[in-house]
Amino acid sequence: MWKNRNTMHIERYSSRYEALWNDFVAHSKNGTFLFDRHYMDYHADRFIDCSLLFFEKSKPVALLPANISEGVVFSHEGLTYGGIIAGRTLTARMAVDVLQGAATYCRDRLRAHRMYYNPVPYIYQTYPAQEDLYALFRMKARHVGCGLSTTVSLRQPLRFTTLRRRCVRKAVRESVTVEESSTWADWEAFWEVLTVVLKRRHATLPVHTLAEILLLRGRFPDNIRLIVARRGGNVVAGCVLYICTNAVHVQYIAAGEEGRAVGALDLLFCKVMESEICRDKEYFDFGISTEDNGRWLNDGLIFQKEGYGGRGVCYDHYLIEF
């Protein structure tokens, strides 16, 4: 246990805190299901977890998902984002204490010398929760990266561009159909399409194996959903959606050669944004179109996403030196 000069103390996460952690995430201002330990711990063997819990007068006020590698703390390498998860009682002063306390704890207890910190983008917040950005400023953290995501405001969506609307009409003419699926066969078919596309276009593989994504879907069936586009009964395109409280995030997108030729993804996204999946959400997030911490922008990829009415949201990266 670590205590500061006031009433806050810090505990390193262990399994005895699992229920408390998950309950806190569920009722926080900016937590998503990705911070639930049933999601985070699916790849626990790949990371040395050093997540922290912050208590004020014995009550949790904040969490910090984190891992450590060779004296460097990350928040979190296994997640797209992972800064302070804030309770609704967390004030600006408390946020400064939390982040300063985290830095002191990591330096003194973990013998770390720096932390890479990735705050939760505002589109996933259910209540304003950017006190950590102020705390980063106070600690003279350096802004070292900026991934640019493309997001549609579902309450005031921009119209699809002429090109994208033309592709939607083409998909309809070509008898493309769109539906949600939960069958093993469709997951397997989509994963094959996705794997081929990533190998050919980016010389990479999906972050999750098929077995891993199905494991996670089994744990979070309401949050992880597969949408497929079919033609002649075959899966020609699809996407995996992560459903959060405030936003829908596209975790994976892929279309095979046939799917691209008939505009399958255009019809798919048109249907999804009009469906019950998005009915009570504020944002539809296509994910980043940048590499190398934002230094390279994939113009073709972001052009397609902006064609669906998406505009920029930053996924920022900071460095705190201890």
Side-chain angles (χ1 to χ4, degrees):
M1 182 177 71
W2 177 97
K3 288 188 177 183
N4 72 357
R5 56 189 171 82
N6 299 311
T7 58
M8 185 175 293
H9 72 271
I10 301 173
E11 296 278 357
R12 185 170 178 174
Y13 176 80
S14 67
S15 58
R16 69 190 178 101
Y17 286 120
E18 180 181 299
L20 184 151
W21 178 286
N22 290 342
D23 183 71
F24 187 91
V25 168
H27 295 92
S28 66
K29 297 193 295 182
N30 59 342
T32 69
F33 76 96
L34 278 74
F35 299 120
D36 188 291
R37 299 309 303 201
H38 293 102
Y39 188 98
M40 285 184 64
D41 292 345
Y42 89 91
H43 52 19
D45 59 317
R46 301 179 201 171
F47 304 101
I48 301 174
D49 190 276
C50 64
S51 300
L52 301 176
L53 301 91
F54 303 84
F55 295 86
E56 185 83 16
K57 297 179 180 178
S58 300
K59 293 184 179 181
V61 295
L63 310 173
L64 180 64
N67 69 285
I68 186 168
S69 177
E70 298 181 349
V72 180
V73 174
F74 300 86
S75 74
H76 180 297
E77 282 187 290
L79 301 170
T80 306
Y81 44 80
I84 290 173
I85 309 306
R88 292 182 178 269
T89 63
L90 190 76
T91 64
R93 168 49 58 191
M94 291 164 66
V96 173
D97 288 344
V98 163
L99 206 52
Q100 289 179 339
T104 302
Y105 184 102
C106 292
R107 182 193 66 205
D108 295 348
R109 296 296 186 88
L110 304 180
R111 298 294 185 262
H113 57 276
R114 61 175 58 181
M115 177 193 295
Y116 286 97
Y117 182 95
N118 305 323
V120 179
Y122 76 90
I123 57 175
Y124 296 102
Q125 298 171 6
T126 57
Y127 204 80
Q130 292 189 322
E131 292 88 355
D132 61 335
L133 301 187
Y134 173 71
L136 289 167
F137 165 74
R138 287 283 298 271
M139 295 177 68
K140 296 182 171 58
R142 288 198 291 123
H143 189 215
V144 295
C146 180
L148 185 63
S149 189
T150 307
T151 304
V152 175
S153 173
L154 292 170
R155 294 186 178 178
Q156 294 180 314
L158 298 177
R159 194 180 185 194
F160 281 26
T161 61
T162 300
L163 174 59
R164 300 272 71 89
R165 296 199 306 273
R166 188 184 305 136
C167 289
V168 169
R169 293 192 295 270
K170 182 176 183 180
V172 172
R173 290 196 306 272
E174 295 290 342
S175 302
V176 175
T177 60
V178 174
E179 66 178 356
E180 181 175 359
S181 178
S182 60
T183 69
W184 167 270
D186 282 346
W187 276 96
E188 192 172 36
F190 171 68
W191 224 250
E192 183 176 351
V193 171
L194 175 66
T195 301
V196 169
V197 169
L198 290 178
K199 278 184 178 179
R200 288 180 179 174
R201 294 195 162 193
H202 305 286
T204 188
L205 293 171
V207 173
H208 302 90
T209 65
L210 177 58
E212 286 173 339
I213 198 69
L214 287 173
L215 171 68
L216 291 170
R217 189 195 179 280
R219 293 177 179 178
F220 300 95
D222 294 331
N223 301 102
I224 300 177
R225 296 162 75 169
L226 172 66
I227 313 298
V228 295
R230 302 182 195 278
R231 186 168 184 251
N234 298 319
V235 173
V236 296
C239 70
V240 175
L241 302 178
Y242 276 19
I243 316 297
C244 301
T245 303
N246 218 36
V248 176
H249 172 72
V250 183
Q251 181 69 12
Y252 292 108
I253 315 171
E257 291 184 9
E258 181 181 358
R260 288 195 297 274
V262 297
L265 282 178
D266 300 277
L267 180 62
L268 184 151
F269 288 124
C270 178
K271 294 290 188 181
V272 167
M273 282 188 251
E274 294 174 349
S275 74
E276 56 82 22
I277 291 173
C278 295
R279 192 161 297 149
D280 62 343
K281 309 302 180 187
E282 289 193 50
Y283 301 105
F284 190 88
D285 184 34
F286 282 99
I288 65 171
S289 301
T290 51
E291 297 178 20
D292 191 22
N293 278 334
R295 296 178 183 86
W296 185 77
L297 176 66
N298 187 327
D299 291 305
L301 183 58
I302 202 166
F303 173 79
Q304 180 183 19
K305 294 173 181 178
E306 289 175 340
Y308 301 126
R311 294 297 183 266
V313 169
C314 290
Y315 281 45
D316 291 308
H317 311 292
Y318 293 88
L319 173 62
I320 306 171
E321 303 274 6
F322 306 149

